[in-house]
Structures are given as structure tokens and as C-alpha cells.
Amino acid sequence: MKLNYQITPFASAGAVPVVLLHGLFGKQDNLGLLKQHLMSRYPVISVDLRNHGSSEWHPDMNYHAMSLDILELLEQLQLPKVHLLGHSMGGKAAMAVALQEPARVASLVVADIAPVNYQENRHSAVFNALQAVAATPHISSRKEADHLMSEYLSEPAVRQFLLKSFSNEKSTHWQFNLHALEQHYADIMGWPYTPDQQYPGPVLFIKGGASDYLQTGHQTAITNHFPQASARVIPDCGHWLHAEKPALFNGIVERFLQQIN
């Protein structure tokens, strides 16, 4: 599976690269501010996960497949060990890599997601909005798509995030594989790994203070998989914490990585 990626120049000899993994409906530049913040100290690899951005489309969409994609990319780039950071779905993909190949992961940062099964109706309105655009072939601009999506999604920030992947080069108007994401939504919201699968290295979970994706009830699931996990909470922000409070988020990540190196 061929993944699209961008890699910054190697900032310093011996620095362990940082791999950034975006969330559902996203693409590699979603974590662009963090990349800019880290690239003076670390090589940074920003990845489009399968069925997103400019990476290949595939009918399968699950965490085992996504983790194998990432491990294949590390082999291609001849990187024996990396730091992994993922947001939301990308956080689950990063956790999957760490559980399957712990020796390849120097550290793990998980942004606002837990290793648990989530309810499958969280994105019903989003899928309705995306399908409405996909079913309207004459739409030719983000402005037209935004107007149509506003009938389903009232939050402008959510629409603007989704519209970053608007494209007239695709028949559906979306850079992501909408059909595969909808068909495998249960896999994306689920979690296939058993509690006995562990990553013993350093892990940081970062929660958006106003988000309900990370809850105190998830602590057992987290510590079962990641016994060295620690957590930070960024107040007054939601699920897109890296975009809402970038300076604070980036600083937390940098300090965590400095402790390891």
C-alpha cells in the first residue's frame, strides 16, 4: 500500500524522526503547525493515511491494515525507530503500530482518543453532509459545498475542516475515499486489540478539556495497553485541540520528546 508523505530535512544527526498521523477525514497538513514547530530539532514525516489525502485508496480500512501501511513506510525509509504522534483515528493507528511492533517505537503521543470502542453514530451528520456534496455533481467550489453542507452541519469550524479535503479532481468531490470510510466506520470507531497486548515505552495522552473522547472511564483500557502512560489536559478546547490551542499543544509535545531524547 503506497502512502503519500512529506519528510523534512534531517535537522540534526542522530535525531529520531517524528511521524505525524492525522484523524478521520483529514490529511497530512492537519498537523502542519506541529511539523513547523518540531522540524528544527527532528526529522518530521507527515503521512496521508490510506484512503485519505493523496495516498492510495483501498477497500479495506482497519487499524491492522493502517499499521502495516506505516510499518511498510518505515521499512521503505530505512527507519529502525521513530516517535509516533497521532490525532483521533491517527492516534489509534499509532497505538496499533506500537502494540504490534513496540521495538520500532521510541515513544507515542496520542491526541484525544482512547484505545476503546466508540459509539458508531458520532459522525452521522458529517456523513450526510459529505454524501450530499458527493451526490451533487455540478458543485464546483468550496463555497457552494459549504452552503450545501450547512443544511446538515451547523458548526462552521467542522465544515471548514472537512472542506480542506474538497477536490473537483475526484468524482465524489472529496480527496478521501468516502465509500470505504462509511463502509468501515465500525472498524474506525472500534478497537480490535486485546488487553494483553502492550507497549512498554513512554506514552503521552493529550486531552482536549471540553472533548468527550478521552474520559476517566478509559483509564483501565489505557493502562492495560500502555503501563507507562501519562496524561495532560488542555483546557477550553475540544477534539481538534492541536488546531484550537496550537502553541500549548506543540509545547507539550516538544517537552515530552525532549525528556526522551
Side-chain angles (χ1 to χ4, degrees), residues 18-39:
V18 182
V19 178
L20 305 182
L21 306 175
H22 61 80
L24 180 61
F25 308 120
K27 55 183 180 177
Q28 61 174 264
D29 64 3
N30 291 164
L31 292 160
L33 293 176
L34 178 61
K35 178 177 76 171
Q36 293 175 19
H37 185 83
L38 295 177
M39 62 187 291

Side-chain angles (χ1 to χ4, degrees), residues 211-231:
S211 171
D212 66 349
Y213 275 82
L214 264 176
Q215 302 176 13
T216 55
H218 297 152
Q219 184 173 352
T220 298
I222 289 171
T223 54
N224 282 340
H225 287 304
F226 308 106
Q228 299 301 318
S230 59

